[in-house]
Amino acid sequence: MMTKKAQSWRELGLKEKIGQLFICGFDGYRPTPGISRLITEYGIGGVVYFRRNLRDARQVASLSAELQELAAVPLLTAIDQEGGMVVRLEEGVTVMPGAMAIGAAGDPELAYEAARRSGAELKAIGINMNLAPCLDVNNNPDNPVIGVRSYGENPSAVALLGVKALQGYQDSGVAAVAKHFPGHGDTAADSHFELPVVPHGRERLDEVELLPFRAAIAAGVDAIMTAHVVFPAYEPDHIPATLSRRILTGLLRERLGYRGVVVTDCLEMNAIAETIGVAKGAVEAVKGGADLVLVSHRLDRQLAALEAVHDAVLAGEIPLSRIDEAVERVWLLKERRGLIRQSVSGSAPQRAEAAGAEVRSAAQETAIRISEAAVTVVKGGERLPLDRGGRTLVVWAEPRVSTEVVEVIEQECTLAAALKDEGYAAEETRIGLDPAESEAAAALGAAAKADTIVFVSYDAAFSPGQIALIRKLNELPDKAFALVAARTPYDLLAVPEVPLYLCTYENKPTMMNALAGVLSGRLPARGVLPVTIGPYPRGSRT
C-alpha cells in the first residue's frame, strides 16, 4: 500500500502498477469497504459509476471527492453518459439527446456542442471520463444492443459526428472513449448475454466498421473501448476482440497506429464471464494489448482478476514490459486530463453548484435544439397536424426491468403531458415492453373512447405483444392513428400498414416536447432518417 501521493508511475510497485490497469464498480452512494480496499490496497486506476451510485449532481460531486481522497494516484472516474436512452445520471445535469437523434438532426456542430456542454457538467461533479461516443455503424435492424446508440448506418456520417463528439468531450476536459472496437453495429446478439460474431471479410470491415475508428485515431481520441465480439477475418481462433492480440495489438496498434489507451468493455458481461471467465479474461486482455480492464460489479471477481494478472506477471506469462507500457499510457492520460498534480479549490458540492449555474441553461438549450431538429416523419406527413378536437389517447410503452445498458427510471413527462401543453385533451395508458393481456385490454378499452390514438413504441420490432396491440389499435374504425418509434426506428418493418409513422430515437422529456410540437404543427419536422427502414432510405423524410 502506498502511503503518499505518487509523482510518477515509476514510483509504483508491481501490485500498484497492476492496480492502475483496472476500473472497478461498486454499490452505494458512498465509498464501500470493498471499493475503499481496492483503491488503498490495490491502487486501482479508476471507478465506474452506475445509477446505483448516483442520486444527484451534489451527491456525485461529494462521492467523487471522497474516492479521490483515498487514492495515492488520482482516479479515473468513468460513466456511461452517452445521452438519450443510455444515461446514468439525470438529476442536476442535462440529459443530452443520444447519438441517433444527433444523426437525424445531421448537424456536426450540434454533436460537438452536446458533448462539450455535457462534458463540462460531468467535470464539475468530479467525473473525468465518459464512456462515449459509440462509433458503431448500426446497419443491422436486428441489433438488440446498439441501435440508437449509433449515429446511423453510414460510416462517414458516424465518423464525422463521432469525431465532433469526442472533441467536445475532450475540449471540456473529460476523457472520451470511442467504442466498441472494431465495431458492434452489425450484430444480432447482445454481448451482455452471449458472444456475437461479425463474419464479414477484411475489405468490408475496413470500409464500414473501421472507418469511424480510423477517424477517431486521427483526431487524437483519448481511449478506445473493445467489443466482446468475434471477428474471424482478424481472429481465426474465435477469440473475442477484447482478448485478441491479433486485434488489439496487430490491428489497432500496428496497422491503425493507435497510441492511446485501450480499455475493455466490462469483463462481467456474459460473453466473457460465462466463457473464459473474468479472472482469466483479465489476463488475456492485458496480454493482448488492453491498458485498462473494466470489472463493474462484483468484488470477488475484481479481486480475482487483480490477483490473476499479478500471478501471470510473476509466472512470466505477462511480461513486465507489457505492464509498464500499459501503466505509462494510463498515467499519460491522467496527466493530459489534468488529474496528476492538480489543485482544485472549493468544496465538491460548491463546485458542482457553481458550475451548474453557469452551464446548465446553455446545455438545456442545446438539448432542445437537437431534439427539435431530430423528430423525423417517415410516412404520412400529410396527416399532420393531429386534430385538436375530441380526445387523444397516448399508449406509452416502457421498460419495467433495468438492463446493463438501460436502467429504468419512471418518467413523468411523457408525450401525453407534452400534448396537453399543446392544447390537446390527451390521456395516457402505459404498457410494458411485452404487454400483459390486462394491459392490452385496458389500452383497447381506452382507445374505444378516443378519437386519435398515438402509440409510442419502445423496440416494438422485438416485442410480438406490442406489434399485436399496434395492429388492433390501428384497425379500430373511425380513429386517427399514429405510431411513434421512441427508441429503435425499425418498428415500421413489423407494421408497414400504419398510416402515420414518426421516429424520435428516444422518449426523454425534451424529445417528447419536440414531438408534441411536430404533432401539433407548431414545429416543422426537420429530422432525416439516419438508417434505412425498408422502402424508406437513409436521408429520407416526408
Side-chain angles (χ1 to χ4, degrees), residues 212-277:
F213 289 100
R214 289 202 306 272
I217 291 168
V221 67
D222 281 332
I224 290 178
M225 177 178 281
T226 66
H228 302 332
V229 177
V230 173
F231 291 80
Y234 297 117
E235 180 48 85
D237 293 332
H238 205 75
I239 298 170
T242 294
L243 312 180
S244 169
R245 180 171 178 80
R246 290 185 177 107
I247 291 176
L248 299 189
T249 298
L251 174 60
L252 183 55
R253 295 289 188 202
E254 295 173 359
R255 180 181 160 196
L256 299 184
Y258 182 55
R259 297 293 178 260
V261 170
V262 174
V263 54
T264 73
D265 208 341
C266 179
L267 296 191
E268 291 183 271
M269 293 160 61
N270 284 359
I272 303 298
E274 300 302 321
T275 54
I276 190 174

Side-chain angles (χ1 to χ4, degrees), residues 65-386:
E66 286 185 87
L67 291 167
Q68 294 289 9
E69 188 62 29
L70 295 171
V73 178
L75 298 164
L76 292 167
T77 46
I79 191 173
D80 287 287
Q81 195 78 358
E82 296 176 15
M85 303 309 294
V86 182
V87 292
R88 306 306 188 200
L89 178 62
E90 298 192 31
E91 294 297 322
V93 298
T94 303
V95 177
M96 286 294 175
M100 195 165 283
I102 293 172
D107 186 340
E109 292 311 309
L110 285 177
Y112 174 82
E113 280 302 305
R116 185 177 69 86
R117 296 191 186 282
S118 181
E121 291 186 335
L122 294 176
K123 185 178 181 182
I125 57 177
I127 295 173
N128 53 49
M129 172 179 273
N130 196 10
L131 305 177
C134 279
L135 296 189
D136 305 298
V137 180
N138 199 88
N139 45 24
N140 188 335
D142 295 326
N143 193 317
V145 65
I146 302 301
V148 295
R149 302 168 67 194
S150 164
Y151 292 101
E153 72 181 19
N154 180 269
S156 296
V158 172
L160 174 60
L161 296 172
V163 164
K164 287 292 187 179
L166 72 87
Q167 289 172 336
Y169 289 126
Q170 293 178 185
D171 285 353
S172 74
V174 169
V177 181
K179 59 188 185 185
H180 306 78
F181 183 84
H184 206 324
D186 197 2
T187 64
D190 183 347
S191 53
H192 291 90
F193 305 110
E194 55 187 305
L195 183 58
V197 177
V198 175
H200 303 298
R202 292 194 178 195
E203 183 176 353
R204 145 62 199 260
L205 293 170
D206 198 58
E207 292 175 353
V208 178
E209 277 76 11
L210 295 185
L211 191 153
F213 289 100
R214 289 202 306 272
I217 291 168
V221 67
D222 281 332
I224 290 178
M225 177 178 281
T226 66
H228 302 332
V229 177
V230 173
F231 291 80
Y234 297 117
E235 180 48 85
D237 293 332
H238 205 75
I239 298 170
T242 294
L243 312 180
S244 169
R245 180 171 178 80
R246 290 185 177 107
I247 291 176
L248 299 189
T249 298
L251 174 60
L252 183 55
R253 295 289 188 202
E254 295 173 359
R255 180 181 160 196
L256 299 184
Y258 182 55
R259 297 293 178 260
V261 170
V262 174
V263 54
T264 73
D265 208 341
C266 179
L267 296 191
E268 291 183 271
M269 293 160 61
N270 284 359
I272 303 298
E274 300 302 321
T275 54
I276 190 174
V278 174
K280 182 62 174 174
V283 172
E284 294 302 315
V286 173
K287 282 171 58 178
D291 305 305
L292 279 171
V293 175
L294 183 60
V295 188
S296 301
H297 301 287
R298 286 170 42 180
L299 179 63
D300 61 329
R301 287 174 165 176
Q302 293 160 349
L303 293 170
L306 283 156
E307 294 293 348
V309 172
H310 187 264
D311 291 346
V313 175
L314 294 181
E317 183 180 358
I318 300 177
L320 182 58
S321 60
R322 169 81 270 273
I323 301 298
D324 285 349
E325 172 188 78
V327 74
E328 182 176 18
R329 287 199 188 102
V330 173
W331 189 277
L332 290 173
L333 172 58
K334 291 181 176 184
E335 283 188 334
R336 188 160 60 251
R337 292 297 146 229
L339 303 183
I340 306 297
R341 303 185 184 93
Q342 68 178 358
S343 175
V344 182
S345 61
S347 71
Q350 287 172 341
R351 293 197 306 274
E353 289 172 0
E358 294 171 6
V359 304
R360 284 203 68 195
S361 177
Q364 185 60 33
E365 180 184 346
T366 299
I368 291 170
R369 288 172 60 203
I370 296 170
S371 297
E372 292 183 349
V375 177
T376 309
V377 178
V378 179
K379 177 184 179 183
E382 70 279 359
R383 296 174 181 268
L384 293 175
L386 297 181

Side-chain angles (χ1 to χ4, degrees), residues 390-463:
R391 288 182 289 188
T392 299
L393 174 69
V394 173
V395 181
W396 178 270
E398 61 184 3
R400 303 282 171 79
V401 179
S402 295
T403 69
E404 281 286 317
V405 176
V406 176
E407 294 172 284
V408 174
I409 183 169
E410 186 173 354
Q411 186 166 313
E412 294 181 3
C413 185
T414 63
L415 178 60
L419 284 173
K420 287 178 182 177
D421 290 341
E422 298 286 346
Y424 286 82
E427 299 176 356
E428 177 181 274
T429 183
R430 297 194 180 197
I431 61 172
L433 296 191
D434 198 8
E437 289 185 13
S438 58
E439 291 177 319
L444 287 165
K449 304 172 186 177
D451 301 288
T452 299
I453 304 165
V454 183
F455 193 108
V456 183
S457 63
Y458 189 110
D459 283 351
F462 297 101
S463 168

